[in-house]
Amino acid sequence: MLSREDCLSLDRKDPLAPLRCDFDLPEGVIYLDGNSLGARPVSALVRAQEVIEQEWGTGLIRSWNTAGWFDLPLSLGDRLAPLLGAGPGEVVVTDTTSVNLFKALAAALHIQAPSRACSDAPHVDETTLAASSQSTLRRHVIVSERDNFPTDLYIAEGLTRWLDQGYTLRLVDSPEALLTAIDQEVAVVMLTHVNYRTGRLLDMAAVTAHAHACGALTVWDLAHSAGAIPVDLAGSGADFAVGCTYKYLNGGPGSPAFIWVAPRHMQSFSHPLSGWWGHASPFSMEPGFRPHATIRSALCGTQPIVSLAMVECGLETFERTTMSAVREKSLALTDLFIGLLEARCGAHSLKLVTPREHAQRGSQVSVAFAHAYAVVQALIEQGVIGDYREPNVMRFGFTPLYLRYVDVWDAVDVMARILDQHTYDESLTPGGVT
Ligand SMILES: *Cc1c(COP(=O)(O)O)cnc(C)c1O
């Protein structure tokens, strides 16, 4: 088992150590919740003041052009793209993950609907329409995981109910079950790359290849992948992707999300939120919608510039390292945390939920415990901020940009004392004291 001294020495040798200075972290806090809300880049305060005082205050409406506001969703998308294995002009930063998922799923279903091929055909009579809508049902299934983040499932439910074309959601209970669940009936496979609760990482390339072999398209949610692990959207052959910027990308609370469309789908990309920002010529003020030919068509309405501008501050730090360096430290930190927990808290029937295999692990460690909620509260009181997820999971996110090895050692030290001395209040539950 590593000692605290060993951890301090790892920190002295850590090539990512200088990046911690990019963040403003409160004294006395070990922050293991950067997977939920990333820490604040120091530059965010400076940038916010600049945007508000100069760009908004002085520049006023001129700033849409002079300060680059109009192109901000695209320019940020281009800066984010390398972290996702995507190219320039393929990503925009806009809206929320939920809304972007709605657009991506709608676009994928639209591409898959065979009736689309007939819709432009002349002289379509009612019989052909009926036939084509029946053939639509051949691919009527959307595959996902029951344990997916709820909003993803809610969005799929909402969209398909609204479409009212007989789509069904086929939910699997384990990643292994995906292979049999994906068959010729499936239109779209909609998955989260790293599970928010367990931290389990799916093999994007393998699942995508299997989906494609069955004729299905894939929509990947990268909420817990972007900035956490290397992602290779192009190399894995994915079709669509969405994700957050306020988690590992440190964009700030509620900072806009992103959406990526594979270049091969750009021409057929279409979604129902056809607002004027996605129009081919927004300032022509035409009565009819014509989609922009580029990823700009994924935009809907006027962008939240102040929040959007903060995303840049989060991305800057990534430009001073590589995702493989981030990944290497992330695995070292999570390995260390798991090892220390086993050595020091082994007597307390904690159960590791996150896979040990590196190939299946995101940048978090989840541990099940009967009094998980109470222990998380006790940890937070002592400055170790992790979080609780139903039904009994303590969840700890590891952000290599600002976490030190010694933080991991200290966090486990606090945890061991809480468990050994039983200084948590078992009557505390998520709903309040029972
Ligand atoms: C965090 C998270 C979201 C959040 O969606 P919002 O629309 O930003 O609230 C969505 N999906 C997954 C998988 C997440 O982890």
Side-chain angles (χ1 to χ4, degrees):
M1 187 181 73
L2 292 190
S3 67
R4 192 170 193 278
E5 264 312 311
D6 295 331
C7 291
L8 287 170
S9 131
L10 284 174
D11 285 322
R12 281 190 292 271
K13 287 182 290 194
D14 173 16
L16 269 60
L19 301 181
R20 183 176 162 89
C21 303
D22 283 15
F23 296 89
D24 203 331
L25 293 154
E27 275 299 311
V29 162
I30 297 175
Y31 195 55
L32 303 180
D33 220 351
N35 52 335
S36 205
L37 172 64
R40 177 174 77 78
V42 173
S43 61
L45 194 59
V46 183
R47 183 76 186 110
Q49 183 143 17
E50 192 177 79
V51 172
I52 290 168
E53 269 184 5
Q54 292 164 30
E55 297 184 6
W56 178 15
T58 306
L60 291 166
I61 201 160
R62 294 168 288 194
S63 288
W64 282 109
N65 300 313
T66 57
W69 286 357
F70 187 67
D71 290 324
L72 199 53
L74 289 96
S75 57
L76 288 173
D78 284 351
R79 286 180 80 167
L80 170 59
L83 302 189
L84 309 178
E90 298 175 10
V91 182
V92 281
V93 178
T94 188
D95 295 332
T96 65
T97 301
S98 303
V99 170
N100 287 337
L101 188 66
F102 178 87
K103 293 182 247 181
L105 185 57
L109 291 175
H110 180 68
I111 289 172
Q112 289 289 59
S115 54
R116 201 175 133 259
C118 309
S119 65
D120 299 330
H123 317 302
V124 179
D125 62 31
E126 280 197 21
T127 346
T128 22
L129 274 180
S132 80
S133 83
Q134 252 173 19
S135 64
T136 301
L137 289 176
R138 197 172 73 80
R139 289 197 181 274
H140 65 281
V141 174
I142 297 164
V143 166
S144 194
E145 284 192 274
R146 196 179 310 280
D147 195 25
N148 200 343
F149 191 85
T151 203
D152 297 47
L153 301 179
Y154 301 160
I155 289 288
E157 192 185 314
L159 174 62
T160 54
R161 198 181 329 108
W162 188 255
L163 287 172
D164 196 21
Q165 287 171 6
Y167 287 110
T168 58
L169 204 49
R170 183 181 290 167
L171 300 179
V172 303
D173 289 301
S174 74
E176 293 72 28
L178 279 172
L179 289 189
T180 44
I182 302 171
D183 60 22
Q184 306 292 326
E185 294 182 335
V186 177
V188 177
V189 178
M190 179 195 83
L191 294 168
T192 296
H193 191 208
V194 176
N195 185 281
Y196 78 103
R197 187 189 346 241
T198 63
R200 174 152 188 171
L201 164 64
L202 293 177
D203 185 338
M204 183 186 285
V207 175
T208 300
H210 179 63
H212 287 175
C214 296
L217 294 177
T218 55
V219 177
W220 290 95
D221 188 331
L222 306 178
H224 290 269
S225 316
I229 59 173
V231 177
D232 187 6
L233 285 172
S236 62
D239 299 289
F240 298 92
V242 301
C244 298
T245 65
Y246 55 77
K247 293 175 178 169
Y248 291 95
L249 294 172
N250 310 308
S255 60
F258 61 86
I259 176 168
W260 169 80
V261 177
R264 65 181 175 282
H265 293 310
M266 204 53 242
Q267 221 187 337
S268 42
F269 176 68
S270 108
H271 64 85
L273 301 181
S274 45
W276 71 307
W277 272 60
H279 196 281
S281 178
F283 296 101
S284 309
M285 305 293 181
E286 299 168 13
F289 184 76
R290 284 187 297 124
H292 202 280
T294 72
I295 190 68
R296 203 181 267 281
S297 68
L299 303 179
C300 183
T302 309
Q303 307 297 309
I305 297 300
V306 178
S307 184
L308 202 52
M310 300 299 98
V311 173
E312 184 182 348
C313 304
L315 290 176
E316 275 164 0
T317 303
F318 286 95
E319 289 166 4
R320 300 205 283 120
T321 180
T322 63
M323 279 314 298
S324 65
V326 169
R327 177 63 169 164
E328 195 180 324
K329 184 174 170 191
S330 158
L331 288 171
L333 292 172
T334 50
D335 275 343
L336 176 65
F337 186 73
I338 293 169
L340 288 172
L341 264 190
E342 285 174 336
R344 305 215 28 214
C345 308
H348 294 285
S349 54
L350 302 175
K351 186 173 172 294
L352 184 65
V353 173
T354 304
R356 276 172 207 279
E357 301 91 301
H358 286 177
Q360 293 180 14
R361 191 193 304 162
S363 198
Q364 77 182 55
V365 176
S366 298
V367 183
F369 183 61
H371 306 290
Y373 182 80
V375 172
V376 166
Q377 299 315 304
L379 283 166
I380 293 172
E381 258 172 46
Q382 301 198 35
V384 178
I385 303 182
D387 63 24
Y388 166 83
R389 285 294 177 269
E390 290 288 336
N392 60 350
V393 172
M394 301 189 262
R395 194 177 70 145
F396 305 100
F398 293 83
T399 307
L401 302 183
Y402 51 77
L403 267 186
R404 297 168 298 202
Y405 291 91
V406 74
D407 293 327
V408 174
W409 200 95
D410 289 342
V412 175
D413 191 49
V414 172
M415 172 100 105
R417 272 186 284 120
I418 288 171
L419 290 171
D420 290 345
Q421 298 166 13
H422 207 295
T423 50
Y424 55 91
D425 179 357
E426 273 183 23
S427 68
L428 279 180
T429 64
V433 179
T434 56

